[in-house]
Amino acid sequence: MAKVAFIGLGVMGYPMAGHLIKADHEVTVYNRTEQKARDWVAAHGGTYQVTPKLAAEGQDMVFICVGNDDDLRQVTLGEDGVLQAMNSGSILVDHTTASADIAREIGAIAAQSGVGFIDAPVSGGQAGAENGVLTVMAGGDEVDFSRAESVMTAYSRCVERLGEVGAGQLTKMVNQICIAGVVQGLAEGLHFARSAGLDGEKVIEVISKGAAQSWQMENRYQTMWHGEYNLGFAVDWMRKDLNIALNEARKNGSHLPLTALVDQFYSEVQAIGGHRWDTSSLLAKLEKNRK
């Protein structure tokens, strides 16, 4: 059993922290909206604190899952940030999808205090968090990772170290780049099927048995066909992630023409009111144009 804090109880963090306490870890939580922390404690037990710094005091490990680079910098490096309280020898694990730059910045500052740092963004969405089957892509020191890995398995089915600090965020960028292309392809395929007068569900039932199969096809084709886009990971969040990847690509010289195009398509989904629709809503834009 480890003594841990979890900072950030959003759609991902709330169930992830719950899995930690189910695994018999001693858990203290913090959330910017205090009532959500109160609700979590009422549902799961454990304790909550009113600042990240207070939540981090005396912990073996601190886990974070917040919105973006600015949020992450505030809860780690701010006046009430966790690094103001963490002891030498403790480990900070960040599950936020953020830039590799902020990961390296926090990692370097943490090291000055003897605190280990692991950037560990996740994939699997809200359902993966709730069911405890996330994929964790980690960057950091091998010894720090080996200590934190067994704790992270409480909410994960795959936890893998990809390299030094920053490698986890870079791998998550690859993940989002690949998803963007697959979802656009699926959206275009379904759009074509409808325009051709085909039964989309029967079409997918057949082609999903062959080389076209993907997680997105298996899990999203029915809701896409019926115009239902309320399944978690929002367009606004995907655009944040794709912009992180596109900015990194400018630095490392890689060329991502499809990713840039799909990001533009997502901006068009936002323009028709789809900010909080899930990422499969690329089909909505095509269907609107068809009409």
Side-chain angles (χ1 to χ4, degrees), residues 20 23 38 60 83 93 124 128 142 162 226 238 251 262 273 276 291:
L20 288 174
R38 291 176 180 268
D60 302 319
L83 286 176
V93 179
E142 285 190 53
L162 283 307
H226 295 290
M238 186 59 157
K251 297 175 187 176
V262 176
R276 304 300 294 180
K291 296 173 183 177

Side-chain angles (χ1 to χ4, degrees), residues 2-289:
K3 188 177 180 184
V4 306
F6 204 103
I7 311 299
L9 300 175
V11 295
M12 301 293 287
Y14 194 100
M16 290 166 74
H19 286 296
L20 288 174
I21 207 162
K22 289 175 187 175
D24 293 328
H25 299 296
E26 184 179 335
V27 183
T28 300
V29 297
Y30 164 81
N31 193 70
R32 184 165 50 188
T33 304
E34 185 177 330
Q35 186 58 50
K36 184 171 281 190
R38 291 176 180 268
D39 292 343
W40 187 92
V41 170
H44 297 284
T47 59
Y48 79 92
Q49 285 289 355
V50 295
T51 69
K53 177 181 177 181
L54 290 173
E57 287 182 352
Q59 308 291 355
D60 302 319
M61 299 179 194
V62 175
F63 297 84
I64 296 175
C65 190
V66 292
N68 54 39
D69 283 25
D70 291 339
D71 296 333
L72 180 57
R73 186 175 281 108
Q74 181 179 2
V75 299
T76 54
L77 306 178
E79 184 178 347
D80 287 317
V82 297
L83 286 176
Q84 304 298 331
M86 293 181 70
N87 296 325
S88 177
S90 60
I91 298 176
L92 175 58
V93 179
D94 175 40
H95 290 307
T96 308
T97 296
S99 69
D101 288 342
I102 189 66
R104 297 184 186 110
E105 177 186 345
I106 294 172
I109 294 172
Q112 295 173 6
S113 301
V115 175
F117 177 75
I118 300 169
D119 61 300
V122 300
S123 181
Q126 183 176 348
E130 291 172 350
N131 295 319
V133 292
L134 292 170
T135 295
V136 180
M137 299 154 266
D141 178 79
E142 285 190 53
V143 174
D144 293 334
F145 173 78
S146 65
R147 287 179 56 199
E149 181 181 11
S150 61
V151 180
M152 290 189 281
T153 57
Y155 43 75
S156 310
R157 64 179 172 186
C158 175
V159 184
E160 191 73 31
R161 177 181 176 270
L162 283 307
E164 299 302 321
V165 170
Q169 295 296 350
L170 293 171
T171 303
K172 180 61 183 286
M173 295 174 208
V174 175
N175 187 78
Q176 302 305 76
I177 290 166
C178 293
I179 288 174
V182 170
V183 176
Q184 178 62 22
L186 178 58
E188 291 185 13
L190 289 172
H191 174 61
F192 179 91
R194 196 187 302 276
S195 298
L198 296 171
D199 183 326
E201 297 197 31
K202 287 186 177 180
V203 169
I204 297 297
E205 183 180 350
V206 173
I207 69 172
S208 65
K209 304 299 189 295
Q213 190 277 339
S214 68
W215 186 96
Q216 300 292 337
M217 181 177 289
E218 292 286 339
N219 291 273
R220 292 291 181 265
Y221 83 90
Q222 287 185 323
T223 50
M224 291 172 73
W225 189 252
H226 295 290
E228 300 169 0
Y229 304 116
N230 57 352
L231 293 170
F233 195 71
V235 167
D236 284 353
W237 303 340
M238 186 59 157
R239 288 210 71 203
K240 181 209 78 171
D241 291 0
L242 293 181
N243 276 279
I244 290 172
L246 290 167
N247 287 335
E248 187 67 33
R250 295 184 189 100
K251 297 175 187 176
N252 67 25
S254 53
H255 302 283
L256 306 179
L258 179 58
T259 304
L261 186 60
V262 176
D263 179 60
Q264 176 61 36
F265 292 158
Y266 276 126
S267 75
E268 295 175 24
V269 174
Q270 289 174 322
I272 61 174
H275 291 266
R276 304 300 294 180
W277 292 349
D278 71 64
T279 52
S280 70
S281 57
L282 286 169
L283 178 58
K285 178 190 76 71
L286 296 173
E287 295 290 88
K288 185 176 186 297
N289 292 341

